[in-house]
Each structure stands twice: as C-alpha cells, then as structure tokens.
Amino acid sequence: MFIYKPARALILTLAFSLLALSSYSAKAEWRPVAQLGLSQIAPPLQLNNLSGKPVDLANLKGKVVVVNFWTRWCEPCREEFEELTQLQESYKSKGLVVLAVNLAEMKPPYHTVSKG
C-alpha cells in the first residue's frame, strides 16, 4: 500500500499530536505513605548540601523523599529540574522532599532543588 508523502506526514502528525495530548492529561495522585504498601526502609544516605551542611535521609523519616541522581552532561537530567521544582513546591506542605544529588561535581552551575 502506497501513501503519498503529504498524506503520510499528516497521519504521522495527527498520531503524534494525539500521543502528546494524552500525555498531558496524566496527573500524579498524592497518597499517604501508609497507603503505598512499601515494605522496605530506604537505605542509609548522608551527603553534604551545597553549603556543606550534612543532609541525612534518616532525619526525613515520615516524609516522602525523591532522591534524584544527576550530572551536568546529562541533558534529560538538567531538563527535569523544572518539573522537580514544581513537584517540590506543590507537595512540600504534604511532606515531600526532593534531593538532587550530583556526586561528580562539587558545586554544579545549574539550579538545584533544595531540601524544603
């Protein structure tokens, strides 16, 4: 079956448009930690923040913690900072903490999500 190039381009454009629209309708649903059925405790993690102060995961017990490991050369990692910042701001009052961890560089030149 042969489809002319303009028709094929239109079909592909419509297909990708529908895919993009369906991805925008996806929403995160907040649930209390007790409802998630997690059976394991997070492993120990203690690192220094950009100010040199220690951040210990054990001190965040009872909160939902997103630990994001990233590096400067990872373009998708840098692009997700805006989403992580929005996530932190939206759910900080419900106990969410976002920690961005970059072990490769001492002081990254990019915006980092800080412990709130």
Side-chain angles (χ1 to χ4, degrees), residues 4 7 9 13-14 17-18 20 22 27 35-36 44 49 53 58 77 81-82 89 102:
Y4 292 104
T13 301
L14 289 174
S17 297
L18 287 173
S22 66
K27 291 186 177 181
Q35 290 181 1
L36 297 177
N49 65 15
K53 296 179 184 175
C77 298
F81 269 91
E82 183 177 338
E89 291 304 314
N102 181 335

Side-chain angles (χ1 to χ4, degrees), residues 40-85:
Q40 294 183 1
I41 296 174
L45 177 66
Q46 184 177 9
L47 301 166
N48 291 336
N49 65 15
L50 293 176
S51 302
K53 296 179 184 175
V55 176
D56 190 345
L57 198 57
N59 293 337
L60 302 172
K61 187 175 182 176
K63 296 183 181 273
V64 176
V65 181
V66 175
V67 180
N68 180 25
F69 292 91
W70 70 283
T71 189
R72 181 187 320 195
W73 53 262
C74 174
E75 187 65 31
C77 298
R78 294 190 339 229
E79 290 174 359
E80 70 190 357
F81 269 91
E82 183 177 338
E83 293 174 17
L84 290 170
T85 301

